[in-house]
Amino acid sequence: MTATEMRSPATGSPATPPLGFNDSLLTPEAALDSLSVSLLDAESADTAEVVSMGLPEFVVAEARANGLPVSPVRICASPDSLADAVAAMRLLRRGQDTPATNLTLTAAHATLAVPANRRALTGLAEDGVRVRTCQEVMPDMITLGSTVGVVTVKDIDGTRRARVFRSPHKVDHMLRWQFSQWYRSAALEELRDVLDILDNPMRVEVMAHLSAGTKDEVAARGLNVSVRTYHRHVAAIMSTLGVHARFAAGMRAQQTGLSALCSMVRKGRPPTQTSPDAPRP
């Protein structure tokens, strides 16, 4: 970056939206359309910076060059980019480059269908990183303070390319989109009941039958357990979800995306997972 490049002051944390934030004008759909036009323009992007090193290493190098520990690092990660996002956060925390409170990760809700992903995200949250999951479609996006923005896109042949932006106007637009997505997401600590059920294969099967409205006798026979055992699992699920009726359990499962996650787990086609061998902080 040259000395003449403009830099805008760092914006606040996701708990405090930028001045002038207007949620009604920044729906994810509208913001994504705008991003496609204003950001994914090869003439205004520099890909060489990322190609020369891995994306996590690039994020750490840029973070150090842009005023850490003050500047926050925010990442929105789809299933395809979650491994890079987790690796970047771990690298930042391992070197204590930035306070955990300055690190925020919004991951696609579907990634929770993979045990390795659940462990990775839980580990980051336990280390102080603010982690949320969102059920809406999101682009892969990273901002470092208010000075650097990175968007990764997938070509027709499946190759992912990262594009770096340093225009204050474009980075501000990315930040506004990230804030909008953050407020539409659920904090990982609020999904403990969902994670507990997903970590129990039998409960996943029972939850799927509950969501489908399968009769108890039919569900028990399909799971090769007694009706009494099936009822015990149902009672355990309702207790975990903090509800006292099956209808309420179904509502809670829909609200938290648990029903969809259980369906993904049962079909055996989970989204891309992080490496279980990736180093922990």
Side-chain angles (χ1 to χ4, degrees):
M1 180 187 303
T2 64
T4 57
E5 284 187 276
M6 294 178 59
R7 288 181 179 271
S8 59
T11 52
S13 70
T16 306
L19 185 64
F21 177 86
N22 188 332
D23 188 65
S24 64
L25 300 178
L26 290 170
T27 61
E29 294 80 6
L32 184 56
D33 290 342
S34 182
L35 280 171
S36 299
V37 175
S38 66
L39 292 179
L40 306 183
D41 176 2
E43 294 181 358
S44 63
D46 179 2
T47 60
E49 295 175 271
V50 180
V51 172
S52 63
M53 63 179 73
L55 186 58
E57 291 76 14
F58 172 82
V59 170
V60 173
E62 282 292 321
R64 289 173 178 168
N66 283 277
L68 284 176
V70 177
S71 298
V73 177
R74 304 182 181 91
I75 301 180
C76 288
S78 71
D80 287 339
S81 68
L82 184 64
D84 280 343
V86 171
M89 292 297 188
R90 286 176 176 172
L91 285 173
L92 287 169
R93 289 301 294 142
R94 187 186 309 149
Q96 299 298 308
D97 285 305
T98 184
T101 53
N102 272 11
L103 300 175
T104 61
L105 171 60
T106 306
H109 196 65
T111 60
L112 294 178
V114 178
N117 291 347
R118 296 198 295 274
R119 292 193 296 269
L121 294 176
T122 299
L124 289 178
E126 290 174 348
D127 199 35
V129 177
R130 290 180 293 175
V131 180
R132 290 195 174 202
T133 65
C134 184
Q135 297 188 53
E136 298 170 352
V137 177
M138 65 175 72
D140 297 321
M141 185 186 305
I142 302 170
T143 56
L144 298 100
S146 59
T147 59
V148 180
V150 182
V151 174
T152 59
V153 293
K154 183 181 292 187
D155 293 335
I156 296 178
D157 62 1
T159 302
R160 291 177 63 241
R161 292 186 298 165
R163 294 174 175 172
V164 183
F165 303 91
R166 301 186 187 277
S167 161
H169 171 73
K170 290 187 175 182
V171 176
D172 179 69
H173 184 75
M174 294 170 69
L175 282 167
R176 288 170 177 267
W177 194 95
Q178 286 182 316
F179 278 114
S180 178
Q181 200 76 347
W182 180 264
Y183 290 127
R184 290 172 170 81
S185 303
L188 193 65
E189 57 265 24
E190 297 174 358
L191 298 173
R192 294 297 183 186
D193 51 357
V194 172
L195 301 183
D196 287 344
I197 290 173
L198 290 176
D199 286 335
N200 187 313
M202 178 57 77
R203 302 279 163 82
V204 168
E205 295 294 330
V206 173
M207 189 69 244
H209 283 294
L210 284 176
S211 298
T214 308
K215 291 183 177 180
D216 290 0
E217 293 77 9
V218 176
R221 186 164 55 251
L223 296 175
N224 197 29
V225 298
S226 68
V227 174
R228 178 176 296 181
T229 297
Y230 180 79
H231 286 167
R232 283 202 298 267
H233 284 295
V234 171
I237 287 174
M238 290 194 294
S239 176
T240 299
L241 295 177
V243 298
H244 302 287
R246 295 190 181 197
F247 178 78
M251 291 294 294
R252 172 68 177 163
Q254 289 294 330
Q255 292 168 352
T256 60
L258 175 60
S259 295
L261 288 170
C262 288
S263 178
M264 292 178 195
V265 172
R266 295 178 77 232
K267 289 178 180 178
R269 295 198 301 267
T272 303
Q273 69 178 45
T274 60
S275 171
D277 299 322
R280 292 292 298 273

